[in-house]
Amino acid sequence: MKKVFLFLVLASAIFLTSCATVQDLVLDKVRSEISERKNSPEAQAKREEAEERAIESIKKAAEEITPEQEYYIGRTVASTILNKYKLSKDTKELTLYLNEICNAITINSEMPYLYKGYYVAVLDTDEINAMATPGGHILVTRGLINCTDSEDALAAVIAHEIGHIQLKHSISAIRSSRATDAIMATASVSVTAATAGLGDKVEKLTDGLNDAANDIAKNIVETGFSKAQEFAADKKAILLMNDAGYDPNSMLDMLALLKSNSEGKTEGFSKTHPSPDSRIENVKKELKSMKIKVSASDKKIRTKRFNSINNLY
Amino acid sequence: MKSFFFNSKELEKILACLFFAIITAPLFAKPQSSVKYVSVANVQVKEKASAKAKTVSTVPYALKVIVLSEKGSWAEIQAEEFPEIKGWVNSSVLSARKLVASQETVSTDAHEIALAGKGFNSTVEESYSQSHESHFDDVDLIETNMIDDETLFQFLSEGHLSEGEE
């Protein structure tokens, strides 16, 4: 540091006492000196170290987050999604039906309970989309429901969202350090020096909550999960469906329906999911090794009640 | 160096015995009951290891419990601080990790009281809604869509779906 200081002093001395051309020369020399230090291997190493620390703290927060914190973040994510889409309030029977399907799937899964539970709600839009928050809120658009032709196909949609929740994909979308700091403040029972006093500063926590919800909502509504996460959710969905007694092949029917209904569209799930074709290929592969429980007569019974609900709207 | 009480061979023997005793001690120790924490809000504790059994009590998030026995995906628990709370819950609602509720504390431990109230909770949510567009009323509405056990089992049975683990 002494060297740099002396250099700058000398440079400014020459600068202040000399003519324009010499001044330019000195400025250029100073600029290149600074840029050299910025791009020096030491600075580069320091940046990489900071990046690695950030990635580590994101990973740690995702591992350490408590069910209660996931719930509150989930509520704020749901609230953020409702900034864009309106909650449908005149579809009582449909909403009840969707929740029954959801519970039928979760009760037969390894994670039947969340902090407050799983809930499905309808969004008042023709856009074709379904979204899930880490708090257990599953939001399905009217547009998507109108694409389905059976209870099993509807179950496929819901099971896919349950898959995202049970695989904790949303939490991995959190990037902000304000959010990860807030999460870590309550994660372990011992308060560390880094987070001491953070836990009770409502203002700081509000910022953390805002950041966490925005990171996740952006992921859900704009960019989408990674291809690997989407395929994982599809794989989880057909397992969940099979365990509940639904026909996992209905996932293929659903994807085909989505494909034909979304040709040319750029909004909704088309923006945030891999192509239906690639998902169909992936699901077909997984179905090959599956022992399917459902019978055709079971499906028929369920399609009857699906139609009776469908006819109400 | 000259030893004061034993010669080195005797010391070796004693140390060997001590070492042996230490590593085999766990075999003779009393089996430790499993301590877990309730990781879901408002869990129904059942009389028997079945979702269809009678509910004997409802327990809060972060409650410290002892696992008495296990049966499939069910665990028989007893609350450490309130031994009258005893019954069966789904194992998935239990966490080995110590939890502290952010809304309120369920223990009288001073350390836990210091930590309770920290983290995201309804106070933080309220503060958030003061400075951001929010729809928590609608989110509350979404969370009213609860399906009770009776309705669910009827839905499962009518739709020829699996009845969950018994």
Side-chain angles (χ1 to χ4, degrees), chain A residues 115-232:
Chain A
Y115 180 78
K116 269 279 165 84
Y118 299 83
Y119 301 98
V120 189
V122 183
L123 298 176
D124 222 340
T125 171
D126 290 330
E127 214 180 277
I128 299 171
N129 211 348
M131 295 160 272
T133 80
H137 314 92
I138 297 170
L139 306 166
V140 189
T141 64
R142 289 253 218 167
L144 180 42
I145 294 168
N146 289 337
C147 286
T148 59
D149 61 358
S150 69
E151 181 172 313
D152 288 50
L154 203 40
V157 170
I158 296 171
H160 176 91
E161 296 310 317
I162 293 171
H164 278 309
I165 293 172
Q166 293 191 351
L167 292 167
K168 300 194 183 281
H169 287 160
S170 280
I171 299 301
S172 68
I174 296 175
R175 289 283 172 274
S176 140
S177 57
R178 290 198 309 189
T180 54
D181 280 350
I183 291 166
M184 291 310 291
T186 45
S188 66
V189 185
S190 63
V191 180
T192 66
T195 54
L198 175 63
D200 53 8
K201 301 257 187 312
V202 178
E203 204 185 291
K204 280 220 163 118
L205 284 169
T206 308
D207 288 339
L209 184 65
N210 180 52
D211 286 0
N214 280 338
D215 282 350
I216 294 173
K218 187 163 171 241
N219 205 47
I220 291 173
V221 181
E222 302 290 320
T223 55
F225 293 112
S226 73
K227 220 176 184 176
Q229 286 174 323
E230 284 299 340
F231 286 166

Side-chain angles (χ1 to χ4, degrees), chain A:
Chain A
M1 277 321 287
K2 235 185 174 171
K3 247 181 151 178
V4 180
F5 179 70
L6 279 168
F7 169 74
L8 285 173
V9 167
L10 201 61
S12 25
I14 299 173
F15 186 80
L16 293 166
T17 56
S18 51
C19 68
T21 347
V22 179
Q23 281 187 354
D24 282 337
L25 279 171
V26 173
L27 272 175
D28 279 342
K29 186 72 183 132
V30 173
R31 276 194 202 107
S32 71
E33 178 70 37
I34 292 173
S35 132
E36 244 180 66
R37 283 180 190 276
K38 250 176 144 178
N39 296 322
S40 72
E42 296 90 15
Q44 189 63 345
K46 270 201 174 140
R47 268 198 303 275
E48 280 168 7
E49 211 188 292
E51 253 174 59
E52 254 179 62
R53 268 200 306 265
I55 292 170
E56 270 312 302
S57 64
I58 289 167
K59 250 173 45 191
K60 196 134 199 267
E63 284 164 19
E64 297 285 315
I65 192 168
T66 67
E68 188 197 35
Q69 298 299 283
E70 281 182 319
Y71 167 71
Y72 280 105
I73 292 174
R75 277 177 62 89
T76 312
V77 173
S79 168
T80 308
I81 292 172
L82 292 171
N83 287 345
K84 185 173 182 194
Y85 302 100
K86 216 175 94 190
L87 179 68
S88 167
K89 293 183 187 169
D90 59 354
T91 44
K92 214 168 129 207
E93 293 88 354
L94 173 62
T95 302
L96 172 66
Y97 182 52
L98 292 169
N99 278 282
E100 285 170 329
I101 294 172
C102 178
N103 277 261
I105 295 168
T106 56
I107 197 91
N108 286 295
S109 75
E110 285 168 358
M111 214 186 278
Y113 306 101
L114 291 179
Y115 180 78
K116 269 279 165 84
Y118 299 83
Y119 301 98
V120 189
V122 183
L123 298 176
D124 222 340
T125 171
D126 290 330
E127 214 180 277
I128 299 171
N129 211 348
M131 295 160 272
T133 80
H137 314 92
I138 297 170
L139 306 166
V140 189
T141 64
R142 289 253 218 167
L144 180 42
I145 294 168
N146 289 337
C147 286
T148 59
D149 61 358
S150 69
E151 181 172 313
D152 288 50
L154 203 40
V157 170
I158 296 171
H160 176 91
E161 296 310 317
I162 293 171
H164 278 309
I165 293 172
Q166 293 191 351
L167 292 167
K168 300 194 183 281
H169 287 160
S170 280
I171 299 301
S172 68
I174 296 175
R175 289 283 172 274
S176 140
S177 57
R178 290 198 309 189
T180 54
D181 280 350
I183 291 166
M184 291 310 291
T186 45
S188 66
V189 185
S190 63
V191 180
T192 66
T195 54
L198 175 63
D200 53 8
K201 301 257 187 312
V202 178
E203 204 185 291
K204 280 220 163 118
L205 284 169
T206 308
D207 288 339
L209 184 65
N210 180 52
D211 286 0
N214 280 338
D215 282 350
I216 294 173
K218 187 163 171 241
N219 205 47
I220 291 173
V221 181
E222 302 290 320
T223 55
F225 293 112
S226 73
K227 220 176 184 176
Q229 286 174 323
E230 284 299 340
F231 286 166
D234 278 339
K235 183 177 175 183
K236 185 89 184 156
I238 55 178
L239 287 167
L240 289 168
M241 287 169 78
N242 199 37
D243 284 344
Y246 281 115
D247 183 8
N249 284 289
S250 295
M251 175 63 88
L252 293 172
D253 299 335
M254 194 61 230
L255 289 169
L257 283 164
L258 285 174
K259 183 180 170 190
S260 58
N261 276 283
S262 64
E263 305 254 72
K265 293 210 177 107
T266 49
E267 276 304 312
F269 87 97
S270 317
K271 193 162 80 165
T272 53
H273 290 68
S275 73
D277 279 332
S278 63
R279 290 174 69 185
I280 287 168
E281 210 185 295
N282 182 51
V283 169
K284 272 191 174 151
K285 240 192 293 181
E286 299 298 333
L287 283 171
K288 274 199 179 129
S289 52
M290 198 176 254
K291 202 172 168 197
I292 295 171
K293 289 156 76 173
V294 75
S295 78
S297 60
D298 293 340
K299 264 182 94 173
K300 247 186 168 169
I301 288 165
R302 295 196 286 268
T303 304
K304 227 178 151 188
R305 74 179 171 195
F306 169 86
N307 287 331
S308 68
I309 300 283
N310 217 23
N311 291 333
L312 293 170
Y313 301 99

